[in-house]
Amino acid sequence: DVFISGRVTMSDFIPSMSTETVTIEIKNNFGIQETHSNVPLDASGNYSLSTALTGWHWFRIRGLTWVARKTGWVNLAAGSNSVPIEVLANGDADASNEVDAIDIDLVIQHFGENAGSGPYFRPADLDGSGEVDAIDIDVAIANFGAVEN
């Protein structure tokens, strides 16, 4: 078996990253070879998974409100394999892989919602505080223009 471990840093996020999951696509020149959805993270953003794939591949990593990032090429072999650390930009409330005016509009549309009562649109709560507030607007503005690499 091929065991893969790596780490992501999710920018502008308050709670422990252990509350979040990522989707990881393993790709090569022929396209997507495998997709691993809901891969759990520990408090530091570390993840692990296993596959039967070997040879040269790259990874595409995406979180709920974070713009996807692609890693460099990794030569997968039997045993343990490490994937480079990736920093994901926050602010992509509509999952378009670009932080743009639509994301800011979504945060404004859901402004004041909180996880404790009434409707709550989690993707608009960019910092994961449990409430859609001015900080979430600030996160989207600070990362405005971030696109998938």
Side-chain angles (χ1 to χ4, degrees), residues 5-6 39 46 48 54 65 78-79 83 97-98 104 106 108 121 125 137 144 147:
S5 62
V39 176
N46 296 306
S48 61
T54 58
T65 63
V83 174
N97 283 313
E98 177 180 12
I104 296 170
L106 274 171
I108 291 169
F121 184 61
D125 181 13
I137 295 171
F144 191 83
V147 295

Side-chain angles (χ1 to χ4, degrees), residues 34 39 47 55:
E34 282 184 6
V39 176
Y47 63 87

Side-chain angles (χ1 to χ4, degrees), residues 31-46:
I32 299 173
Q33 302 300 305
E34 282 184 6
T35 299
H36 297 262
S37 299
N38 299 313
V39 176
L41 302 174
D42 71 11
S44 298
N46 296 306

Side-chain angles (χ1 to χ4, degrees), residues 16-37:
S16 165
M17 285 186 280
S18 66
T19 63
E20 295 297 300
T21 62
V22 291
T23 298
I24 299 175
E25 296 173 347
I26 304 174
K27 299 183 171 196
N28 62 20
N29 286 335
F30 302 107
I32 299 173
Q33 302 300 305
E34 282 184 6
T35 299
H36 297 262
S37 299

